[in-house]
């Protein structure tokens, strides 16, 4: 049962991050809400940065899909635990950039916490 719950939650995280990454391609201005203040969304350099982030997020979502397809809850658990470094790093970047604490904690740190819980569910089997 823990494996099923952990797998479903991992799938939701994977699908969500894939969608967020893809959205940067059709609406790059949406990235300004993820915590970096004074973001010049019309700046070509910013738009390039957003596309790099979009590719990273799409790949992260696909990595989770590959792990789910593999069928190994243990491997997926270790992957999710390792991938927790991404939202932790994002939260630290937002805080370092003097971005909104609500974004750092409410989006990035909360995602990291959920990923740790998912990892525990998958590694407990």
């Amino acid at each position: 049962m823990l494996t099923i719950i952990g797998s479903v939650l991992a799938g939701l995280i994977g699908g969500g991050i894939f969608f967020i990454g893809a959205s940067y391609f059709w609406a790059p201005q949406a990235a300004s809400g993820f915590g970096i203040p004074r973001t010049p969304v019309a700046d070509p350099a910013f738009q390039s940065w957003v596309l790099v982030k979009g590719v990273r997020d799409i790949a992260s979502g696909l990595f989770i899909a590959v792990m789910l397809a593999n069928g190994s809850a243990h491997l997926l658990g270790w992957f999710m635990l390792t991938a927790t470094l991404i939202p932790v790093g994002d939260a630290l970047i937002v805080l370092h950039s003097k971005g909104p604490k609500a974004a750092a904690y409410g989006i990035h740190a909360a995602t990291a916490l959920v990923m740790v819980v998912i990892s525990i569910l998958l590694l407990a089997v």
Side-chain angles (χ1 to χ4, degrees):
M1 185 62 154
L2 293 179
T3 302
I4 293 170
I5 294 169
S7 296
V8 168
L9 292 173
L12 290 172
I13 291 281
I17 198 64
F18 179 91
F19 177 77
I20 288 169
S23 74
Y24 293 150
F25 285 88
W26 69 75
Q29 67 278 9
S32 66
F34 277 79
I36 305 215
R38 299 172 301 284
T39 305
V41 295
D43 181 0
F46 169 77
Q47 292 183 1
S48 295
W49 172 84
V50 167
L51 295 179
V52 169
K53 183 173 173 11
V55 169
R56 179 195 77 168
D57 289 353
I58 290 169
S60 295
L62 291 174
F63 288 148
I64 293 171
V66 168
M67 294 291 130
L68 283 166
N70 175 275
S72 170
H74 201 73
L75 182 60
L76 177 60
W78 282 112
F79 175 81
M80 293 298 289
L81 188 60
T82 304
T84 301
L85 292 172
I86 296 170
V88 167
D90 290 349
L92 293 173
I93 290 167
V94 170
L95 292 171
H96 179 74
S97 302
K98 299 190 182 3
K101 290 181 181 175
Y105 298 118
I107 297 169
H108 303 297
T111 299
L113 180 61
V114 168
M115 290 174 71
V116 168
V117 169
I118 292 168
S119 300
I120 291 168
L121 291 172
L122 293 167
L123 293 171
V125 292

